[in-house]
Amino acid sequence: MLEKALRGGKWYWGWVFFLFTLIGIGFISYLHQFKYGLGITGMSRDVSWGLYIGQFTFLVGVAASAVVIVLPYYLHNYKVFGRITLLGEFLAVASVTMCMLFIFVDMGQPMRILNVFLYPTPSSVMFWDAIVLSGYLFLNLLVGWTVLGAERKGISPPGWIKPFIILAIAWAPSIHIVTAFLYQGLPGRHLWLTAVMAARFLASAFSSGPALIIILAMIVRKFTKFDPGREAIQALGRIITYFMIVNVLLFAFELFTAFYSKIPGHMHPFQYLYGGLYGYGKLLVPMWISIILAVVALILLINPNTRRNETTLAIAALATFFSLWVDKGFGLVVGGFIPNPFEKITEYWPTLPESLIALGIWAGGFLILTVLYKIAITVKEETA
Amino acid sequence: MYNAGKIIAGLIVFLLIVTYPFINRVVTKPVVDAEKVERLKIKKPKEFTIAEHMTILDEWRDSAVRDGRRIYMGSDEKKYPISLQRNCLLCHPKERLCDRCHNYVGVKPYCWNCHIEAKE
Amino acid sequence: MGISRREFLKVAGLSAIAGVGGSWVLSIPAKRDAEAYEFLRHPKALTAKKWGMVVDLRRFKTQEDYRKVIEACHNIHNVPQFDNPKHEIKWIWTDTFKHAFPGQEHKYIMEKLEHKPFLLLCNHCENPPCVRVCPTKATFKSKDGGIIMQDPHRCIGCRFCMAGCPYGARSFNWRDPRPFVKKINPGYPLRTIGVVEKCTFCEERLARGLIPACVEASNGGLIFGDLGDPDSEVRTALRANYTIRRKSELGTEPSVFYIIEI
C-alpha cells in the first residue's frame, strides 16, 4: 500500500516538497544545536523546559484524541464514525512521532536516550511515558495498517485485531494521564501541583485533537474524492463543544482556587501569565490571544446554528486548536517555571533556531500524516 | 523459489559473517573462574587489555561513581586508584595509550570531553 | 520468486528484531558484578549514615567569607563561568532571606535578617524528588551517607530533575563548559555538554578522607557531619541552636539546616 503515496498530482507533490524544505531547514538547525548545545534555545537555568517540551505536551493530547472516534465506533457501534477511524488513528501515529521527535531534540545527550530503557526506573514518570508512547505508536500503526489492509481487500478486519483496538482505546487516555503526571507530582512547581492537571489535559486533548480532525476531514473532502460525511463532522463538533466547556471550566476552577485562597504560590504563575508579575509580562500577549480564541470558539460551538454551519464550525475548530496550542504548548510549561523557586523571574521566549527546529518537526509530522492519509484515502477511493 | 539451495546457503553464510563479532565474544571468552584469577593482575598482557578495556573502564567507572569504591586491588595485592588522571595517565601519555589505536581504527570515545589529560 | 513485498518486509522486520534482541541476550554474561571483592573503598574514606550540614551564618561577616567558600567549591570542581546569565552554573551561592525562604518573610522583618546573604546549595534531601523523577538513575542516593549523587556518564540531559527540585539547586550545561573554566583543576574532571550538575557534598573528597571544600574554607561557618551519629558536630549544633530548613512543608526532608539566632 505504500506505493499509493508515490502517486499524486502537482498539488500533492508541491505540498510534499514544501514539507521537505521545512524539514531540511529544521534539520540543519538541529545540527547546529547538536554541535553548539541547547544554549541556542531560549531556555535557561530557571526555565529549563520550553517550546520543545510544550509542543510535546500538546501533541500527546492530539495523539490521544483518536480515542474520541475509535471508542464510539468500536465499543458502541456508532456507525457514523466508521469512515473516519483511520483519520484519527493515522493522526495519532503522526502526533506520537512528533512527540518523540520533540523529546529527542530536547535531550542534552540524545545519543544516550536508550539509557531510559537500559536502566529502567519505575519510580520515574518519564520512564513510563517512554513506554506508553512507544506502545501507543506501535498499537496505532498496527491497528491502522491492519484495518486499512482489510478495507483494501473489501473484507472486515481480522478477529485478532479487536483486542488490540480495545487496548488502544484504554491506552489513549493513559498516554495523556502519564504525561500529565510528569507535571502534577512535582512538589516545587505550584502551577502544576494540582490534581486537576490530568483532567485538564484530557479535556483539552479531546478538544484540540478532534478540532484538528475536523479541519483535516474538511481538507480531505475538498481535495479528494473521499467524503468523511457531514454527520461525522457534526458529531465531532458536538464532542469538541462539550470538552471545550469542561476545559474552560476546569481552568476557571483553577483560577478560583488560586485567587480565593490568595495563596501566593498558587496565584503567582497565573498573575505572571495573564497580568504580569514583578514587572515582567512577556507572555501576556499570547496568553490573552489564547483566551480570546477560546471565547470565540465557545461562542461559535455552543450556538447550534454556527456549529451546524460548516464554515463557522471550521473557524471554531481552528480557534479551539490554536487557543489550546498556545495554552498547553507554551503557557503551561513556561508558566510552571515562573516564578522560580526563589520567587524571582527569568523570562523565556523561543529563539529562531529553536523555532525552526520545532517547525521542522511539525513539517515532519505533517509529512507522515500526508503520506498515511494519501494511502488511506486512495484505498477508500478505490474501494468506494 | 528458484535456486532455493544457493540462496539459503548464501543467507546462512551472510548471517555467520554478520554475527561473527558476537559469536567470537561468547565463544572465546575464557571460563569465568580462571579468568577471575587472571583479571586481578593490574599489569596484564597487552592483548587482554586491548580486548577488555572497554568493559574494565565501564566497571571501574560504575564502581567509582556509583558505588563510591575508588580502589582496585590487583592479584599482586597492590591497590590502584580507580582514576584516569591519577592512575593510568601518570605513566602512559594519552597519545600512546589511547590515541594511537583509536585514531587508527577511527573511533572517537568522548572520555576527554570531561576527563583531563595530565600534562606533565 | 513467490514472496510478496509485504511478506518480505514483515520477515525482514522480524529478523531485525530477532537479531538485535539476540545480540542483547548474548551480551548479558558480560554484566558487572557489583559486589566483586576487588573493588574497595579508600582506607581513609569518611563514612556516615546520613551526611548533613548546619549553616552558621554568624561566622560569615564579610563578602570575602562567602566568596572564599563559593570559590573553593567552584574552583576545585571546574565549574564554568558562562557570560550569559541564563546559562549560569552554580553549585553553591548566596541569596537573601526572602529568596532563600520564600513565604517566610514579612513586611516587618528584622533589617539584619533582611539583608543577610544565605548560603544555598543542594539540600541532599532524604526524600528527594529529583531522584524519584530521573528516568535513568543518573541522579541517585548513594548507599554510603545518603548523598544525592550525579552520574554525568549516564545523564541524558532531559532536565526532569531540574523541574523536580523545589530548591533550584541544579544547573545544566547549555553549552560546552570547557572554554569557560578559567583555571582547570586537573584532579577533577569537567562535565560535558548537555548534562546536569550540582553539589555532591564533595563525595570524591569524603572518599579520600577529606571534608567538603566549602566546609574547609568556611572557618567553622559550615558544620558538616553524620546526622545519624548523635555525637557528631552537626547533631551537637542542632541540639544547641534553633534551625530551620528550606520549604520543609514539602516533605523532602532536607539535610541542610540554617541556624536562626534567638
Side-chain angles (χ1 to χ4, degrees):
Chain A
M1 284 192 289
L2 278 170
E3 74 285 353
K4 297 193 196 300
L6 295 173
R7 251 167 263 136
K10 66 176 195 288
W11 281 105
Y12 175 70
W13 285 112
W15 170 244
V16 165
F17 280 117
F18 169 66
L19 290 176
F20 267 118
T21 315
L22 290 178
I23 293 172
I25 296 173
F27 184 69
I28 293 174
S29 221
Y30 181 69
L31 288 178
H32 181 49
Q33 180 186 285
F34 191 75
K35 178 158 182 270
Y36 183 93
L38 281 160
I40 61 160
T41 69
M43 291 187 276
S44 58
R45 188 181 193 276
D46 285 337
V47 185
S48 44
W49 278 342
L51 184 68
Y52 298 149
I53 295 297
Q55 297 295 290
F56 148 69
T57 309
F58 177 68
L59 284 164
V60 166
V62 173
S65 67
V67 77
V68 143
I69 299 175
V70 171
L71 194 156
Y73 179 67
Y74 284 108
L75 289 189
H76 300 286
N77 234 346
Y78 187 58
K79 297 256 187 296
V80 165
F81 278 161
R83 293 165 73 72
I84 58 169
T85 53
L86 277 166
L87 295 190
E89 277 150 10
F90 284 157
L91 174 63
V93 168
S95 306
V96 171
T97 312
M98 276 195 271
C99 288
M100 292 174 158
L101 285 172
F102 271 118
I103 294 176
F104 185 82
V105 300
D106 188 61
M107 296 283 113
Q109 285 279 336
M111 296 294 114
R112 296 182 187 172
I113 203 156
L114 285 182
N115 278 353
V116 178
F117 296 108
L118 288 174
Y119 304 103
T121 313
S123 74
S124 167
V125 184
M126 193 169 276
F127 163 70
W128 291 111
D129 216 3
I131 297 204
V132 294
L133 280 181
S134 317
Y136 192 67
L137 177 65
F138 166 72
L139 276 173
N140 274 281
L141 271 173
L142 178 70
V143 169
W145 203 256
T146 309
V147 166
L148 185 62
E151 245 186 76
R152 186 173 122 226
K153 296 193 198 114
I155 57 176
S156 44
W160 56 261
I161 200 73
K162 201 74 195 298
F164 285 103
I165 294 176
I166 308 293
L167 187 58
I169 291 176
W171 205 282
S174 85
I175 63 168
H176 216 28
I177 293 174
V178 171
T179 306
F181 281 2
L182 282 175
Y183 298 100
Q184 78 182 63
L186 300 180
R189 308 287 177 187
H190 303 290
L191 178 65
W192 300 336
L193 192 69
T194 163
V196 137
M197 182 65 62
R200 273 187 74 188
F201 267 42
L202 288 170
S204 59
F206 296 151
S207 319
S208 53
L212 181 60
I213 297 179
I214 288 183
I215 304 293
L216 291 172
M218 291 180 178
I219 293 176
V220 160
R221 186 168 54 195
K222 189 172 168 81
F223 283 92
T224 74
K225 290 193 222 83
F226 174 68
D227 183 358
R230 188 196 146 74
E231 222 359 81
I233 291 179
Q234 284 298 310
L236 285 175
R238 288 190 291 272
I239 290 174
I240 309 178
T241 310
Y242 285 108
F243 275 113
M244 190 59 173
I245 293 174
V246 169
N247 183 42
V248 170
L249 276 181
L250 286 171
F251 176 66
F253 298 164
E254 293 257 68
L255 290 178
F256 179 80
T257 298
F259 291 96
Y260 195 86
S261 72
K262 291 212 171 304
I263 294 179
H266 282 243
M267 291 196 293
H268 285 166
F270 289 114
Q271 283 172 325
Y272 172 72
L273 288 173
Y274 297 103
L277 184 66
Y278 306 147
Y280 293 93
K282 207 173 239 181
L283 261 53
L284 284 176
V285 168
M287 296 317 290
W288 275 101
I289 291 180
S290 170
I291 302 250
I292 292 170
L293 285 174
V295 169
V296 165
L298 275 178
I299 294 175
L300 292 175
L301 284 171
I302 295 179
N303 178 345
N305 294 322
T306 44
R307 192 177 65 238
R308 283 191 207 119
N309 176 325
E310 290 208 338
T311 314
T312 42
L313 177 61
I315 297 173
L318 282 169
T320 309
F321 184 80
F322 283 109
S323 167
L324 293 170
W325 177 69
V326 171
D327 172 52
K328 203 157 152 197
F330 196 63
L332 175 77
V333 173
V334 177
F337 290 103
I338 298 173
N340 68 14
F342 311 101
E343 278 296 311
K344 291 182 178 167
I345 294 185
T346 302
E347 295 199 283
Y348 167 83
W349 196 261
T351 59
L352 179 65
E354 191 178 6
S355 313
L356 288 176
I357 294 173
L359 190 62
I361 295 178
W362 272 98
F366 267 96
L367 181 66
I368 296 174
L369 193 69
T370 307
V371 164
L372 288 174
Y373 270 27
K374 180 84 170 63
I375 299 173
I377 307 291
T378 312
V379 164
K380 286 178 189 290
E381 284 176 346
E382 285 172 0
T383 55
Chain B
M1 56 180 166
Y2 299 120
N3 296 326
K6 293 205 195 90
I7 288 173
I8 291 181
L11 275 174
I12 291 177
V13 170
F14 171 73
L15 273 173
L16 281 172
I17 294 177
V18 151
T19 56
Y20 170 71
F22 305 110
I23 298 174
N24 182 40
R25 172 143 187 113
V26 174
V27 160
T28 65
K29 212 166 158 50
V31 173
V32 176
D33 274 38
E35 197 231 347
K36 212 164 195 169
V37 174
E38 257 318 296
R39 240 153 72 89
L40 297 180
K41 283 215 196 40
I42 187 70
K43 296 214 171 30
K44 297 220 206 327
K46 201 165 82 162
E47 295 69 27
F48 179 89
T49 313
I50 292 175
E52 299 288 322
H53 71 281
M54 296 86 86
T55 317
I56 293 176
L57 283 173
D58 263 6
E59 294 183 6
W60 277 28
R61 175 195 70 203
D62 285 347
S63 165
V65 177
R66 302 191 71 88
D67 300 334
R69 283 157 199 266
R70 293 164 183 267
I71 309 264
Y72 182 75
M73 183 168 73
S75 73
D76 48 359
E77 299 292 308
K78 283 221 277 220
K79 307 219 175 84
Y80 300 90
I82 292 178
S83 163
L84 276 174
Q85 287 148 239
R86 278 195 232 113
N87 190 8
C88 322
L89 290 183
L90 282 183
C91 299
H92 305 275
K94 168 179 169 272
E95 287 69 33
R96 282 181 62 79
L97 184 64
C98 318
D99 295 345
R100 209 157 51 125
C101 294
H102 289 159
N103 290 346
Y104 178 73
V105 299
V107 278
K108 274 196 257 196
Y110 55 79
C111 329
W112 309 105
N113 286 10
C114 303
H115 290 277
I116 300 161
E117 317 134 39
K119 295 216 167 33
E120 305 286 345
Chain C
M1 287 249 255
I3 191 172
S4 75
R5 191 167 41 225
R6 306 188 77 203
E7 279 301 313
F8 176 79
L9 281 174
K10 280 187 201 162
V11 170
L14 284 169
S15 314
I17 293 176
V20 171
S23 61
W24 179 78
V25 167
L26 287 177
S27 78
I28 286 178
K31 293 273 172 350
R32 183 173 79 95
D33 175 11
E35 298 301 316
Y37 64 91
E38 58 235 355
F39 295 102
L40 307 165
R41 249 191 241 124
H42 194 283
K44 289 218 212 77
L46 298 174
T47 56
K49 287 208 211 76
K50 180 75 181 80
W51 292 112
M53 183 185 275
V54 174
V55 179
D56 184 357
L57 290 168
R58 296 172 293 200
R59 301 285 195 127
F60 289 89
K61 299 202 172 62
T62 64
Q63 284 289 351
E64 176 67 17
D65 294 332
Y66 292 102
R67 197 190 55 79
K68 265 193 317 199
V69 163
I70 296 174
E71 270 187 22
C73 168
H74 288 180
N75 285 346
I76 64 161
H77 294 118
N78 298 317
V79 173
Q81 281 203 306
F82 293 109
D83 27 6
N84 182 348
K86 280 189 168 177
H87 298 165
E88 183 180 23
I89 295 188
K90 50 196 185 190
W91 292 24
I92 182 170
W93 68 100
T94 59
D95 214 329
T96 54
F97 183 78
K98 78 170 187 190
H99 296 296
F101 301 92
Q104 288 290 322
E105 81 282 11
H106 55 78
K107 280 192 292 219
Y108 315 108
I109 192 170
M110 178 183 174
E111 210 181 319
K112 196 169 77 169
L113 187 60
E114 192 184 1
H115 298 295
K116 182 90 181 176
F118 277 73
L119 271 171
L120 305 174
L121 65 163
C122 165
N123 287 307
H124 293 276
C125 306
E126 301 212 30
N127 188 14
C130 59
V131 170
R132 214 177 305 144
V133 297
C134 177
T136 60
K137 298 198 245 334
T139 192
F140 59 97
K141 208 199 251 192
S142 74
K143 285 194 240 25
D144 297 322
I147 296 178
I148 307 305
M149 287 294 296
Q150 200 67 31
D151 184 351
H153 309 93
R154 199 182 282 187
C155 176
I156 62 175
C158 72
R159 312 188 295 294
F160 200 5
C161 60
M162 290 175 79
C165 174
Y167 304 104
R170 295 166 156 276
S171 313
F172 182 72
N173 284 277
W174 299 100
R175 301 177 56 174
D176 180 16
R178 197 177 282 246
F180 296 91
V181 180
K182 275 192 304 227
K183 188 162 180 298
I184 293 183
N185 166 23
Y188 192 79
L190 289 110
R191 267 73 51 203
T192 185
I193 197 177
V195 295
V196 172
E197 62 181 73
K198 67 172 189 76
C199 158
T200 53
F201 263 175
C202 279
E203 180 267 342
E204 79 285 357
R205 284 171 60 103
L206 291 170
R208 295 201 309 273
L210 303 168
I211 56 171
C214 55
V215 175
E216 198 175 68
S218 71
N219 198 19
L222 296 175
I223 306 164
F224 186 79
D226 184 1
L227 290 171
D229 170 15
D231 299 320
S232 65
E233 267 192 271
V234 272
R235 289 286 295 271
T236 314
L238 288 171
R239 273 194 294 272
N241 297 284
Y242 173 60
T243 50
I244 61 173
R245 296 179 296 181
R246 294 168 66 194
K247 301 195 189 182
S248 49
E249 71 277 7
L250 296 180
T252 52
E253 297 294 320
S255 304
V256 174
F257 302 80
Y258 294 86
I259 292 178
I260 306 291
E261 228 188 315
I262 57 162

